Amino acid sequence: MSKSYHHGDLRNALIVAAAQLIEESGSPDFAISDAAKRAGVSAAAPYRHFKDRDDLLNAVSELCFIGLAEVTEATRKNHPEGSRECIIALSNVYLDYVARHSAFYNLMWCAGKHSLAEPGTEGDQRPGFYAFVGAVQDWCQKHALAGCDPLDLAVKLWAMAHGLAVLKINGQIAMFLPAADVDDMLASSANSFLDGIEKHHETG
Amino acid sequence: MSKSYHHGDLRNALIVAAAQLIEESGSPDFAISDAAKRAGVSAAAPYRHFKDRDDLLNAVSELCFIGLAEVTEATRKNHPEGSRECIIALSNVYLDYVARHSAFYNLMWCAGKHSLAEPGTEGDQRPGFYAFVGAVQDWCQKHALAGCDPLDLAVKLWAMAHGLAVLKINGQIAMFLPAADVDDMLASSANSFLDGIEKHHETG
DNA sequence: TTGCCATGTTAATCCGAGTAACATGAATGT
DNA sequence: ACATTCATGTTACTCGGATTAACATGGCAA
């Protein structure tokens, strides 16, 4: 029989269903009961696998972070170590990922909504970022910029990509610069920034 | 009598009550009925002034944007025209405003939650940003950087400030750089960026 | 004064989150 | 094979809060 009393993989089915509903509606305000229906179970079943709504949302969020880590790490491998190109590529991949998953933006980043997973735990959100840190570290070493902190630099570049992503998602870029290519903006932002860093180390 | 059947200024009272509840709880998930209670009216009264929950939330959001525009414009007036200092100060004021109103962050910026007001209408969110654009424009002229688009530059700097604000609000900065001063990070980010722009115009 | 109608009120309805009590069946030990 | 157990589902609630319907008040204009 195709439908047994026990689902078998309901937890994951619910996460997928929730993700689909979020993507389809463009907002995280779906009904648990709809996710349950889509997974073919009753409205109460989800509570066997998730404490409450936020718990399910967190699981979806983790999925997103895993996806982000994957593309980020893959990108780093495909670019020369220590190259500025690698840093820019990572920034753009980040921007694209965030923009393409804009419906999940609130889940992933919005203030205090969902608890950040603790470092070292399954949902640790840092792996994706550490590809970034590594690339910046390589670049610093290659360019003999011993004085600068790669972590600090990485966070600044990250903020740059993130800021553009948010403004893009919210339509602010389109409002002020209708013809702009956000990828280009990010690349030139990062380039100017890195130029500035290099300049500082040449003259200072 | 102090309490008449008709409130007299219920619309504004509700906006204020909602803003208070959001600030007190740190999240925009307050109950309409609580806002009504605080304004001293019944739970259904708000619907005479707001179509639905989102409509009230939008009104609160507009209030925030007005506040942002005020501090931004004031800051611009208090700094030398065309100075880099003015640009940095504006960036920091922006960062501070967003961080101090983090409970309102979702209302103001989060993806598609609330419609952006149309240009020229009462809730037009651009005035605050145009102080920024103006400062960047002054700087470009003063430094004879004729080739660069001030609007483009302004958006990039804005994204920088915004990105750091988001990462700060969400605790990401604290996670990766526990000792960091985000204001300093923003200032040095913007300085490196502007250094890079200048360098480009010197050499290119 | 008389009536209008914007603004309030009370009393529903509806929807969706979460819980309680019961049901099923896969796995496990005898 | 058979009985027991417990994770996982089910149905049938409760509850809060958004929204609406029908009625009430009173400021204001003709």
Side-chain angles (χ1 to χ4, degrees), chain A residues 140-204:
Chain A
C140 287
Q141 284 173 353
K142 188 159 188 173
H143 293 256
L145 304 180
C148 68
D149 175 5
L151 188 51
D152 175 82
L153 227 56
V155 170
K156 286 170 179 169
L157 283 159
W158 185 25
M160 224 170 268
H162 200 91
L164 280 170
V166 178
L167 298 186
K168 177 181 179 180
I169 287 179
N170 288 298
Q172 310 276 356
I173 305 258
M175 175 179 261
F176 292 107
L177 297 168
D181 178 319
V182 185
D183 278 355
D184 289 348
M185 288 181 71
L186 177 54
S188 73
S189 263
N191 269 317
S192 293
F193 175 71
L194 295 173
D195 282 348
I197 301 281
E198 284 180 351
K199 180 183 176 186
H200 180 73
H201 279 260
E202 286 162 12
T203 63

Side-chain angles (χ1 to χ4, degrees), chain B residues 43-180:
Chain B
Y47 293 90
R48 294 290 175 202
H49 298 275
F50 302 98
K51 183 180 166 296
D52 55 19
R53 195 165 195 290
D54 270 359
D55 198 23
L56 171 53
L57 254 23
N58 273 322
V60 175
S61 170
E62 280 182 19
L63 201 64
C64 295
F65 276 108
I66 290 169
L68 175 60
E70 278 171 5
V71 292
T72 305
E73 280 155 17
T75 300
R76 189 182 171 200
K77 286 188 189 123
N78 291 332
H79 289 272
E81 208 174 294
S83 66
R84 191 186 275 209
E85 180 201 346
C86 181
I87 294 178
I88 306 281
L90 279 170
S91 303
N92 276 322
V93 160
Y94 181 84
L95 172 61
D96 289 342
Y97 189 88
V98 173
R100 273 189 301 111
H101 297 77
S102 61
F104 300 92
Y105 179 85
N106 289 303
L107 294 186
M108 295 180 77
W109 305 113
C110 267
K113 271 281 196 184
H114 307 285
S115 59
L116 301 174
E118 291 302 311
T121 62
E122 175 133 22
D124 186 355
Q125 294 155 9
R126 298 176 305 167
F129 175 64
Y130 276 129
F132 213 86
V133 176
V136 174
Q137 200 152 30
D138 291 347
W139 182 81
C140 287
Q141 283 172 355
K142 188 158 186 175
H143 293 255
L145 305 180
C148 70
D149 175 6
L151 187 50
D152 174 82
L153 228 56
V155 170
K156 286 171 179 168
L157 284 159
W158 185 25
M160 225 171 266
H162 199 90
L164 280 169
V166 178
L167 297 186
K168 177 182 180 180
I169 287 180
N170 288 299
Q172 311 275 355
I173 305 260
M175 173 178 262
F176 292 106
L177 297 168

